[in-house]
Amino acid sequence: MKPVAALILLLVVVLPATPAAAAAERPSHLQVVAHPDDDMLFMAPDLGLSIRSGARVTTVFITAGESDVEPAADYAADRQAGARAAFAAMARAPDRWDRSVLELPGGHVAELHQLRARPRVSLVFLGLPDDNDANATGGEHALIRLWRDPSERVRTVPAAGSGIPVRAHDRGSLLSALRRLRAVFEPDLVRTQDPRPDPRYQQQWQRFQDHPDHVITARLVAEAMPDALVAHYRQYNTADTPPNLPARVLADKRSAFAAYTEHDPRVGLGEPYASWLARMRQRRPLGARWIGDRGRYAYVRGDRLISGDRTGESTVDTPFAPRAGSAVFAGSTLLVQQRRTGAVFGRAPGGEWHRIGAPPPRAPGVEISRPAAVEVAGRLVLAVRDRGGGASVHDGRGWCRLGGSGVESVSALVTASGQVHVLATTAAGGMLRWRLSGSCGRRVAVPDGIRPAGAIATTSGEHAQAAFRDERGDLVVLAERSGWRPVLRREAEALSDPALAVDAAGRPLLAVRNGAGRLEVLSATGSRTGPRIQGGPALDPSGSLVAALDDRGAPVLWSVGDEGAPVSRG
């Protein structure tokens, strides 16, 4: 689809940059991953978009990735060469690098490789042993042992030809290394792996439901950088969900990974890699409802809940530790989850926090999802994915279980007649729908061919609608008036789930992050493309404001014009 214009002007920057960020010429993005292919498999296309934007991009590889291959030093060197080749391909630059030693606390060192044509693109190799290396100090599971026992020490596995001496790390020295790397590269945004993968998937990995090195790496980042803006990316279990990358984006991602495979004979473009390449999913995306009425927004950064509007922002005191990605608005009420339990708390403007709670525990202990909520006749109705992997709803009096299985995300809307509908997407690529009643809710049919590849955005009232992206990145809008059949399909090459509002005529207004990593607003009259953003955008209920995180991870607001295009108010 050809945009009818390609200019968007920033209306308000509502989060002041830190002094380090303000001094930087461009944003800084730091990836911390376990192995030398994890970022390009699970964090791309975001990784390549950051590189091509001109941002300072650094990936820290915790382990050498040597697995059980002998000689370990040679295979570690092969994997380093693969990473260099892939990053050069993403930067569209020659594969020529400058190598040096980076000093770390306690006499430790790391390898630093900088792309000669783009010195702001860097790779850091710490060289800890891979989980599968039986020859590591103490045998296999080196990172698990470091995480569990502060007194445990393991020797590094330098790559052949690196000239880096062997050092012994314990948990404390590894955390100190990560803190020093954060100080050196001053990231505005940190990307890492999933610290607690969904227990429904990848059960062959037993306790961790993913490669243990992935999980421990994410937990180390959380401990070393508790106040950072961190995006967690799902790993192996992305293969258990629908593909969600547009064809052109996927081709670029496969091309970069192909450059890696030229150096690593143990991987390829076939399965299981093909499934991972066709997907990218964050563990806790912000969603489409973190902006409410009158431009008020809220999000969680590190361990703080931040609230703001056009005039600025401030930290909100909470009687609980807030969970990243959980802030949503229902009318004027702000809802946020407790980090550890997923329990929902709500607060009206000027009021006190009140605990709504969480559905009863159920096996297998799935993480409770971000709530979806609507106001009905003065009461709040909210729905979540529960610990059993189905959907549960709270109607203001208590919780009841709607049911379902394999639920990935939930949404809610209320029709003009006051009827509440709960919609859920599933890992199999389907949609479930319930119509609430006095006895909780009744499952109702969904028209054939409805296959969301991500979360569903909704609008309520006279023009009750639902929108999602499909496996090609195109946008699909359903409407109550059509029996929840599609009323609109738009080519969009979307990388994010959509945000949805309606214009004065009841026509859908959509906002996405497109295949170029930029904000795009699509209306009945065309589309407008704006600056680079991180993650998906949000639309306020009136459709007059769109919010997103910029390349520094700071919230920004734009005004949406009469034709559905974001405009500057000058």
Side-chain angles (χ1 to χ4, degrees), residues 422-440:
V422 174
L423 312 176
T425 61
T426 69
M431 185 177 93
L432 308 177
R433 183 166 67 97
W434 292 269
R435 188 162 46 232
L436 301 194
S437 63
S439 58
C440 191

Side-chain angles (χ1 to χ4, degrees), residues 103-122:
E103 294 185 357
L104 300 172
H108 293 89
V109 293
E111 284 188 74
L112 173 64
H113 298 190
Q114 292 175 290
L115 186 59
R116 192 166 298 168
R118 292 275 308 279
R120 290 170 61 84
V121 175
S122 305

Side-chain angles (χ1 to χ4, degrees), residues 221-304:
V221 170
E223 184 160 336
M225 310 176 191
D227 59 336
L229 180 63
V230 178
H232 293 278
Y233 287 73
R234 293 171 61 172
Q235 307 290 298
Y236 290 158
N237 69 27
T238 58
D240 298 293
T241 67
N244 65 352
L245 295 184
R248 183 185 63 81
V249 173
L250 174 58
D252 285 347
K253 182 176 178 179
R254 286 177 62 88
S255 177
F257 191 67
Y260 173 87
T261 66
E262 292 295 318
H263 299 270
D264 186 346
R266 292 169 62 91
V267 306
L269 296 175
E271 295 296 349
Y273 300 94
S275 290
W276 298 328
L277 288 167
R279 298 154 171 86
M280 181 186 71
R281 295 185 184 276
Q282 290 190 15
R283 180 178 184 232
R284 293 174 179 164
L286 283 178
R289 279 287 178 255
W290 54 279
I291 181 171
D293 296 331
R294 297 180 296 280
R296 180 173 168 241
Y297 65 85
Y299 70 107
V300 177
R301 183 185 183 99
D303 55 1
R304 298 179 300 144

Side-chain angles (χ1 to χ4, degrees), residues 130-298:
D130 184 276
D131 183 80
N132 204 33
D133 188 352
N135 294 321
T137 312
E140 297 177 336
H141 315 309
L143 284 191
I144 296 176
R145 290 185 280 109
L146 281 184
W147 176 254
R148 291 176 174 171
D149 184 357
S151 67
E152 183 82 14
R153 293 176 66 82
V154 297
R155 291 189 296 273
T156 56
V157 183
S162 70
I164 296 292
V166 174
R167 291 287 191 267
H169 271 287
D170 58 19
R171 175 175 171 171
S173 68
L174 186 51
L175 291 170
S176 294
L178 291 175
R179 294 184 184 111
R180 172 64 61 84
L181 292 169
R182 182 186 182 189
V184 169
F185 295 104
E186 299 181 321
D188 301 291
L189 172 66
V190 178
R191 299 183 178 115
T192 191
Q193 300 173 284
D194 189 344
R196 287 180 176 77
D198 194 314
R200 296 173 292 179
Y201 310 126
Q202 301 293 316
Q203 294 182 0
Q204 70 271 24
W205 288 98
Q206 299 177 358
R207 178 185 172 197
F208 290 98
Q209 284 82 46
D210 206 304
H211 196 297
D213 288 346
H214 297 170
V215 176
I216 300 303
T217 292
R219 295 180 183 180
L220 287 165
V221 170
E223 184 160 336
M225 310 176 191
D227 59 336
L229 180 63
V230 178
H232 293 278
Y233 287 73
R234 293 171 61 172
Q235 307 290 298
Y236 290 158
N237 69 27
T238 58
D240 298 293
T241 67
N244 65 352
L245 295 184
R248 183 185 63 81
V249 173
L250 174 58
D252 285 347
K253 182 176 178 179
R254 286 177 62 88
S255 177
F257 191 67
Y260 173 87
T261 66
E262 292 295 318
H263 299 270
D264 186 346
R266 292 169 62 91
V267 306
L269 296 175
E271 295 296 349
Y273 300 94
S275 290
W276 298 328
L277 288 167
R279 298 154 171 86
M280 181 186 71
R281 295 185 184 276
Q282 290 190 15
R283 180 178 184 232
R284 293 174 179 164
L286 283 178
R289 279 287 178 255
W290 54 279
I291 181 171
D293 296 331
R294 297 180 296 280
R296 180 173 168 241
Y297 65 85

